[in-house]
Amino acid sequence: NSKVIQTPRYLVKGQGQKAKMRCIPEKGHPVVFWYQQNKNNEFKFLINFQNQEVLQQIDMTEKRFSAECPSNSPCSLEIQSSEAGDSALYLCASSWTGAFYAEQFFGPGTRLTVL
Amino acid sequence: GDSVTQTEGLVTLTKGLPVMLNCTYQTTYSPFLFWYVQHLNEAPKLLLKSSTDNKRTEHQGFYATLHKSSSSFHLQKSSVQLSDSALYFCALGTGGYKVVFGSGTRLLVSP
């Protein structure tokens, strides 16, 4: 069973509304990744953190998406103004390192539906 | 840029038959390849990983060999079971902090 906890499992928002989801990484993992998995099951990398610092993020994230991993609190991903195209499964993963050779441990995801 | 190609979107098989799911990649760096499996409504989890050329790696009856000469890391199993029905993702790590995932292959095993 996954030790990465994501809440909520399901999120329904209207267009223009904020959507916020949270992730608690596996204990001892300092690196957190966020991915968007679309209806065709394709993964899109959004952002990753090492502790509280951003390692990498894509341009999309810099505009309507915001994310943080505060100390001693769950990580979060927020969409400021949801669009229909944001409907997807948002997966959080954690790892002991952000390096390219490390296994990522995934949570079950938050399924966002934007009406 | 770096990319991963999985040519089959859907593979349907009868239980007990062998399977091979294709994965090829493109990179100018030294590759690290992964296979992840995602069962319905569950989190993806690692199945196999390798960075060693021409060495077979195995786990839970699945196996794969990284062939750098052909840029391939195909996933195989000699006899599929009903419980193998899932989405299978090939992924490529080439440096830095990012891993590139393929589009996934759905495996459906029937009785």
Side-chain angles (χ1 to χ4, degrees):
Chain A
N1 289 334
S2 171
K3 297 178 183 176
V4 175
I5 299 170
Q6 289 189 250
T7 57
R9 290 294 305 274
Y10 300 91
L11 193 55
V12 180
K13 295 292 178 181
Q15 295 198 45
Q17 290 186 318
K18 284 186 184 180
K20 188 169 186 175
M21 55 204 84
R22 293 175 176 81
C23 170
I24 299 176
E26 187 161 330
K27 191 174 181 181
H29 285 183
V31 180
V32 172
F33 302 78
W34 285 100
Y35 295 92
Q36 180 192 64
Q37 187 179 21
N38 66 20
K39 61 181 181 181
N40 295 320
N41 298 313
E42 296 162 332
F43 279 66
K44 178 183 283 187
F45 168 82
L46 297 176
I47 191 169
N48 57 0
F49 292 85
Q50 180 155 337
N51 297 315
Q52 294 80 50
E53 301 297 320
V54 175
L55 293 174
Q56 285 182 312
Q57 61 183 338
I58 65 167
D59 286 345
M60 180 179 77
T61 306
E62 293 174 16
K63 294 173 183 174
R64 295 185 299 110
F65 288 60
S66 62
E68 60 177 2
C69 275
S71 179
N72 299 317
S73 293
C75 297
S76 64
L77 176 68
E78 186 171 56
I79 307 172
Q80 302 302 320
S81 178
S82 300
E83 299 176 355
D86 298 331
S87 295
L89 182 67
Y90 289 84
L91 290 165
C92 174
S94 70
S95 184
W96 58 277
T97 172
F100 64 94
Y101 51 78
E103 175 183 357
Q104 295 181 26
F105 294 79
F106 286 85
T110 293
R111 185 166 296 282
L112 172 65
T113 302
V114 182
L115 302 174
Chain B
D2 301 328
S3 65
V4 175
T5 301
Q6 293 183 247
T7 51
E8 310 102 349
L10 174 66
V11 172
T12 57
L13 282 173
T14 303
K15 139 181 117 168
L17 291 178
V19 66
M20 183 170 83
L21 306 183
N22 291 316
C23 173
T24 56
Y25 63 89
Q26 191 169 22
T27 182
T28 55
Y29 300 97
S30 185
F32 207 105
L33 274 296
F34 305 83
W35 276 102
Y36 284 86
V37 58
Q38 185 179 20
H39 287 91
L40 191 62
N41 296 323
E42 293 185 11
K45 57 184 179 182
L46 182 70
L47 187 57
L48 295 170
K49 63 179 181 180
S50 179
S51 63
T52 306
D53 199 12
N54 298 318
K55 182 181 177 183
R56 176 165 151 160
T57 183
E58 300 187 39
H59 184 62
Q60 295 182 338
F62 286 92
Y63 58 95
T65 303
L66 176 59
H67 292 296
K68 294 183 180 180
S69 61
S70 58
S71 300
S72 67
F73 191 58
H74 304 321
L75 181 68
Q76 297 180 266
K77 190 175 187 185
S78 57
S79 175
V80 292
Q81 304 303 309
L82 294 174
S83 58
D84 294 328
S85 293
L87 265 173
Y88 292 82
F89 292 94
C90 184
L92 167 70
T94 61
Y97 303 112
K98 206 160 64 175
V99 172
V100 177
F101 285 80
S103 55
T105 297
R106 184 174 294 283
L107 175 63
L108 283 178
V109 181
S110 59

